[in-house]
Amino acid sequence: MIRQRLAVIGFKSSINIAVIVFFASCIIGYASNLAIDTLIQKAVIAGCLTGLTAFVLVKILVKYIPENIGMVEDKDNEAGT
């Protein structure tokens, strides 16, 4: 359950990262007087690659989280009391 929540949070954050990088690239490109066509192309490429990288990294990191994290063993039932 915790593993799924972390994955969803990571995937949402990778989308946010891609959007932020896209707009930051647009602002930087506009400040450096690039042509609009070139600016949009480079901003889309930068946003997509950054978002994809974040997505893959989250997927790899979530794979290493154990399934039974957060589960508590009930030792009273094992002792028979």
Side-chain angles (χ1 to χ4, degrees):
M1 189 70 170
I2 293 174
R3 188 175 178 180
Q4 292 173 348
R5 287 184 189 167
L6 287 174
V8 169
I9 291 169
F11 297 149
K12 286 180 182 179
S13 65
S14 69
I15 293 170
N16 291 336
I17 289 169
V19 170
I20 289 169
V21 168
F22 172 77
F23 284 118
S25 298
C26 286
I27 292 169
I28 292 170
Y30 181 75
S32 64
N33 293 326
L34 280 177
I36 298 297
D37 295 338
T38 307
L39 185 144
I40 296 298
Q41 288 175 353
K42 289 184 178 188
V44 167
I45 290 170
C48 288
L49 287 179
T50 308
L52 180 66
T53 303
F55 178 81
V56 170
L57 288 175
V58 166
K59 198 165 187 162
I60 289 171
L61 290 174
V62 167
K63 183 174 68 173
Y64 289 112
I65 297 174
E67 283 289 333
N68 58 357
I69 191 168
M71 293 185 179
V72 178
E73 264 185 49
D74 192 11
K75 297 197 179 205
D76 291 336
N77 286 340
E78 292 177 4
T81 55

